[in-house]
Amino acid sequence: MKHKNAPELIPEEYLARAKKLNAAQLADGMKELGVYRDGVMDADILPVERHMKMVGTAFTVETADGDNFPIHVATYTGGDGYVMVIDGKGHSEHAYLGDLIMGAAKAVGYCGIVCDGYVRDREGCIEMNFPVYSRGLMQRGPIKKNPGKINEPIVCGGIRVEPGDLVVGDYDGITVVPRALIPEVLERAEKKQAYEEKRDEMIANYVAAKAAGREAC
């Protein structure tokens, strides 16, 4: 059953464009737009395995003290196209989730999970090839007690995240684009990408010319 406050999924047109960009380019696209920290989460929140990438619509969870009850609820009331973004208050004494929740989240269609806290079962996560970002690993299991909050504005990794925002994760970390800014940020990021590609071409030409003994310019 879908959660009553589940946000509308971001249109596929925007997701397709975002998948061609990286987290750094999107962060650059948010410069000078008055967005706190350019939508960039804390540097400590990194993928369980460096090759993991994800793009999707934010499905938010707020909890604390290693309590994963609301994460269980979110797992079975979200699904296709969402990234679960968990404000776990940076709690470090328990893992908020392991490969059982990861597997269930993947099965119902989540694109990935971001946790401002710790997780466990790294090898299982890698084996199932499911993108998970966290502050690190902790083998001690979670507790299950309080309902927390689901699909309300949260602060995760030092930035505000609202249900329905665009979430992009790759080897550099997590960038979140507020939903209302998605068209403008994509356009700006695509211009930056084009500039970078042109610069890469110029550098490659320089290297080739130098190696061939031609004048490089």
Side-chain angles (χ1 to χ4, degrees):
M1 181 183 297
K2 199 169 185 179
H3 193 271
K4 62 180 181 180
N5 294 332
E8 181 180 355
L9 290 169
I10 294 168
E12 185 58 39
E13 171 197 354
Y14 293 149
L15 294 174
R17 290 168 64 186
K19 288 175 183 177
K20 297 177 182 178
L21 300 163
N22 58 45
Q25 289 164 341
L26 286 163
D28 287 345
M30 292 172 67
K31 286 182 179 178
E32 301 174 1
L33 292 181
V35 180
Y36 179 61
R37 289 178 52 187
D38 299 333
V40 175
M41 285 195 185
D42 291 342
D44 291 343
I45 297 183
L46 291 170
V48 167
E49 199 276 330
R50 66 181 299 270
H51 297 292
M52 292 177 170
K53 297 183 180 181
M54 63 184 179
V55 175
T57 304
F59 191 102
T60 64
V61 179
E62 183 177 353
T63 186
D65 303 322
D67 191 332
N68 79 347
F69 181 81
I71 298 172
H72 276 278
V73 175
T75 299
Y76 296 105
T77 56
D80 290 334
Y82 291 112
V83 172
M84 190 188 307
V85 184
I86 304 166
D87 173 10
K89 315 299 182 187
H91 179 78
S92 62
E93 295 182 13
H94 301 79
Y96 275 109
L97 58 111
D99 57 6
L100 293 179
I101 286 182
M102 295 171 192
K106 181 177 181 179
V108 301
Y110 273 101
C111 302
I113 295 174
V114 182
C115 181
D116 192 341
Y118 287 69
V119 301
R120 64 181 183 179
D121 300 330
R122 178 177 185 270
E123 291 302 314
C125 178
I126 293 172
E127 287 175 8
M128 71 179 71
N129 193 29
F130 181 66
V132 174
Y133 289 66
S134 73
R135 289 194 179 273
L137 301 171
M138 161 52 68
Q139 68 269 36
R140 185 181 296 115
I143 61 174
K144 296 173 178 63
K145 184 177 180 181
N146 296 310
K149 297 179 181 178
I150 297 176
N151 286 324
E152 295 186 16
I154 61 172
V155 174
C156 183
I159 62 171
R160 181 179 175 89
V161 183
E162 297 196 16
D165 286 348
L166 173 64
V167 182
V168 176
D170 61 20
Y171 39 79
D172 280 335
I174 300 290
T175 299
V176 178
V177 181
R179 192 179 188 106
L181 298 178
I182 291 173
E184 182 175 3
V185 171
L186 286 175
E187 184 176 351
R188 285 167 169 255
E190 286 163 349
K191 288 180 179 178
K192 180 62 183 297
Q193 182 185 54
Y195 167 78
E196 290 176 347
E197 290 174 350
K198 184 176 181 179
R199 290 286 296 169
D200 286 342
E201 183 180 356
M202 291 174 62
I203 293 169
N205 290 339
Y206 175 89
V207 171
K210 187 175 181 181
R214 302 192 305 270
E215 183 176 351
C217 57

